[in-house]
Amino acid sequence: MLVYFLLPLTVVYFLFLSRATILKSGDYKKKEIFIEKNNFMFGFWFLVLLSLAVCKGINVGTDYRMYYNFFLHQSYDGVELGISTIYDISVKYHNFFLFALCIYFIFLFFIFWGIKKNSPNYLISILVFILTHVYFTGYNQLRQIIAVAIIFAFVSYLVSDKKFDKFKYIIVILVALLFHNSAIFLFCLFLIPKKRFAGKVVIPLFILTIILYFVPEFKNKIGEIIVKFSGFYMEKYETNLDYFFEVNKEKGLLQLVPVVIQMIIVTISLYFPKIKTSLTFNSNLYKFSSNVIIINLILYSLAGIEAIDRLQVYFSCFNIYFYSFLIHLLLNSKDKKNSKVFIIFIAAFWVLYYTLRLITNVHGIVPYSLLHNQLI
């Protein structure tokens, strides 16, 4: 488990060592602090995260051995074209390491592409990427995580004011479908408004979410509707429809607490800090990411329906944008005292969240081990 604690600690160490660049505008009194876009460090962390993912053993992660068995028995018929092509290449050269290298290179390339295009501080975004466990989700859901990364990388097209960019994002979703068919759900992103949701709407919805979290009958009704309108899930669960509803239903109060804390953080962010248009980051993307995170938290009322869980994997990735932008706003806020308290609260929560998920070993990634030579 040591490697998992050293990972974020090292990012934090480099974050404190990094030199914050101050961008001065025409007005001498106006300045933007804590911009960090060091390409060398950016490339360094790409290689570190790629190496850890590619070199891990087949028992690191609950699903990883399954993907190895697909390779070993060449039983990957029916998987998406993008994944089957990578399998074909790795089988041709009799090398599972090559499969892992292709998968994780594509995943991290698009995640880092999105960070490079949109983040004001690379290291903060990478730290959020790790602490929110989006990175470790890739240790299991190898197919879907590539689709997630593609959707994440090009979301600036969706929030753009140019009409042709919306068409580009349709192409992006179609490309993501080559790696996981759940990407079909992402057309719903077009329905999410650019204008940030108001607190007077969000707070009652969060309260309702907490109540519905403990009402399984509500999940069942929604699950039945999804089954009726989704040929894929009807086919997948035709022999055991109960499984479609039972996943994660054992969650109780302990699992709800982190959700409630995130609700508190997001609610506060709707009022503080104010969005400063003078800062050099995509404010439209910040507002859109806020909305996606709010919807993601509301969807916890349906936790247990796999189709919803799949959608939340996509939405959770937007934590990288949301928290990167929020922390940047706080660092540049005039209210230094409250900003510092809020940053400490956010950091403390995610460190605790990160630690607890490792201790409970949700992803099955503990202990970390290396891929054995005989399997390569």
Side-chain angles (χ1 to χ4, degrees), residues 22-212:
I22 298 177
L23 298 180
K24 293 184 178 180
S25 64
D27 186 342
Y28 174 76
K29 295 182 180 180
K30 291 182 179 180
K31 61 183 180 179
E32 181 174 2
I33 64 172
F34 230 74
I35 301 288
E36 200 286 322
K37 295 187 176 183
N38 186 300
N39 288 325
F40 174 78
M41 292 305 304
F42 190 69
F44 170 78
W45 281 106
F46 176 85
L47 292 175
V48 168
L49 296 180
L50 178 64
S51 299
L52 283 174
V54 172
C55 296
K56 65 183 175 65
I58 61 170
N59 292 318
V60 180
T62 55
D63 296 346
Y64 200 51
R65 177 174 283 278
M66 175 184 71
Y67 286 100
Y68 174 68
N69 287 332
F70 287 163
F71 162 81
L72 196 64
H73 304 292
Q74 298 183 31
S75 55
Y76 50 88
D77 292 339
V79 302
E80 295 81 358
L81 179 62
I83 300 298
S84 63
T85 301
I86 297 173
Y87 265 123
D88 287 338
I89 295 171
S90 60
V91 167
K92 179 180 179 181
Y93 293 98
H94 308 287
N95 195 321
F96 183 70
F97 181 84
L98 181 60
F99 171 80
L101 179 62
C102 291
I103 291 290
Y104 287 115
F105 181 87
I106 297 171
F107 164 48
L108 290 172
F109 175 82
F110 284 114
I111 291 291
F112 274 65
W113 177 281
I115 290 173
K116 187 173 180 61
K117 285 201 308 179
N118 300 300
S119 175
N121 191 304
Y122 293 162
L123 288 177
I124 289 178
S125 295
I126 293 170
L127 183 61
V128 174
F129 176 45
I130 295 169
L131 290 180
T132 56
H133 277 255
V134 174
Y135 170 62
F136 296 113
T137 300
Y139 279 25
N140 286 308
Q141 295 167 310
L142 274 67
R143 292 157 50 217
Q144 186 182 359
I145 206 65
I146 293 180
V148 170
I150 293 172
I151 295 296
F152 171 84
F154 298 101
V155 73
S156 56
Y157 288 148
L158 188 58
V159 299
S160 171
D161 294 325
K162 300 177 181 178
K163 292 184 179 180
F164 187 67
D165 282 348
K166 300 292 191 300
F167 175 76
K168 290 180 182 178
Y169 204 65
I170 293 175
I171 302 301
V172 168
I173 294 176
L174 294 178
V175 172
L177 277 167
L178 294 176
F179 295 93
H180 203 270
N181 50 31
S182 63
I184 194 69
F185 294 129
L186 273 298
F187 282 104
C188 71
L189 291 177
F190 287 91
L191 303 176
I192 300 177
K194 291 182 185 178
K195 184 178 180 181
R196 199 157 56 152
F197 294 137
K200 62 183 179 181
V201 175
V202 172
I203 294 173
L205 286 175
F206 279 166
I207 294 173
L208 181 61
T209 298
I210 295 170
I211 295 171
L212 292 177

